[in-house]
Amino acid sequence: MEKNPERGVILLAGGESRRMGRDKFLLPFKGESMGCRILRRLKGIGNPVIVAGAGLSCETRGIPVVSDRYPGQGPLAGIHAGLSVSTCGPNLVVACDMPFASPELARLLFSRSEGVDAVVPQDGERTHPLFAVYQRRCLPVLERRLYCRERRVTDFLQELRVGYVDREEMESCANPDRALFNMNRPREWSRALSFVEQSEETGHREVREKSGE
């Protein structure tokens, strides 16, 4: 599939996964690891694809992998690591616990990225900074904040020119509730699997109805 050489994709694969109790990147999901599922769904969105984190499987062969330069400082350190090696201006950052990461929503965010430092989905009062586009020029701000151990992503956003994409805009291309669904605990993992099973059952039923079975 053709890739866009002017856009990057940074998959955040780090984190301790304390609430999940196991590595979310390697979490099995319908026959593949969670990390590989997300990479597959976003294939062609950006080039290169960069995985920020450690402890990754051989399934990431051929994909650039970079470790956090500020370990233990959460997703902000992963964003920094990815942007540090990206050759692209705008980069989609996506957490590795989003099984329904939407390429359509990613394209919408990229389309809003000119003239701002970041483009972030916003649903009511809730923002989603871990499925968002960041410009590489954010690096100096990231560097300073991490050096001072100021690791909150929401505080980082306050120093940027941010374009927010609201629910109505997102609904033009994706279901925000599904596209931005993330899994922190085993029950949310189970819920995501049930979404897929329900969707598959609906699809099978529609095929049977069309065939007259």
Side-chain angles (χ1 to χ4, degrees):
M1 184 180 295
E2 183 179 356
K3 295 182 180 180
N4 190 323
E6 298 178 354
R7 298 171 177 176
V9 175
I10 298 169
L11 177 59
L12 301 181
E16 298 179 359
S17 301
R18 291 176 180 171
R19 287 175 288 181
M20 183 63 72
R22 56 193 299 182
D23 189 335
K24 288 189 283 189
F25 184 93
L26 301 177
L27 206 63
F29 199 95
K30 305 300 288 186
E32 59 188 335
S33 70
M34 180 57 57
C36 289
R37 174 184 172 86
I38 295 172
L39 291 174
R40 174 177 57 78
R41 290 180 64 87
L42 297 177
K43 186 176 181 181
I45 292 297
N47 181 42
V49 174
I50 299 166
V51 178
L56 307 182
S57 75
C58 61
E59 294 173 281
T60 60
R61 187 180 304 153
I63 297 173
V65 178
V66 57
S67 298
D68 296 348
R69 299 183 186 181
Y70 293 89
Q73 295 207 48
L76 204 64
I79 297 172
H80 172 270
L83 289 179
S84 294
V85 298
S86 175
T87 59
C88 304
N91 294 266
L92 176 72
V93 168
V94 54
C96 70
D97 60 358
M98 303 183 75
F100 309 110
S102 166
E104 294 81 13
L105 180 54
R107 291 188 186 98
L108 175 62
L109 299 179
F110 275 124
S111 74
R112 301 286 196 274
S113 63
E114 190 169 345
V116 295
D117 301 317
V119 186
V120 180
Q122 183 170 34
D123 189 358
E125 296 184 357
R126 185 180 181 188
T127 59
H128 295 270
L130 298 186
F131 191 90
V133 168
Y134 295 89
Q135 299 284 355
R136 194 172 187 276
R137 60 175 174 264
C138 296
L139 271 172
V141 179
L142 276 167
E143 189 82 34
R144 176 174 51 78
R145 295 196 68 86
L146 289 166
Y147 180 80
C148 296
R149 302 194 66 79
E150 298 170 348
R151 52 183 288 182
R152 288 174 58 89
V153 180
T154 51
D155 292 343
F156 164 60
L157 289 177
Q158 292 180 7
E159 293 197 48
L160 306 180
R161 293 172 297 168
V162 180
Y164 290 99
V165 175
D166 63 23
R167 185 178 183 89
E168 183 176 357
E169 288 183 276
M170 288 188 277
E171 287 176 338
S172 69
C173 65
N175 176 352
D177 295 331
R178 194 61 56 89
L180 298 172
F181 182 85
N182 69 303
M183 310 178 307
N184 287 313
R185 299 173 176 82
R187 65 173 179 268
E188 292 157 348
W189 175 27
S190 298
R191 186 181 175 196
L193 287 168
S194 71
F195 287 156
V196 176
E197 291 165 0
Q198 291 166 10
S199 178
E200 290 175 347
E201 177 57 32
T202 299
H204 293 158
R205 184 169 62 250
E206 290 175 350
V207 168
R208 291 195 298 269
E209 290 172 352
K210 288 180 180 179
S211 63
E213 294 182 8

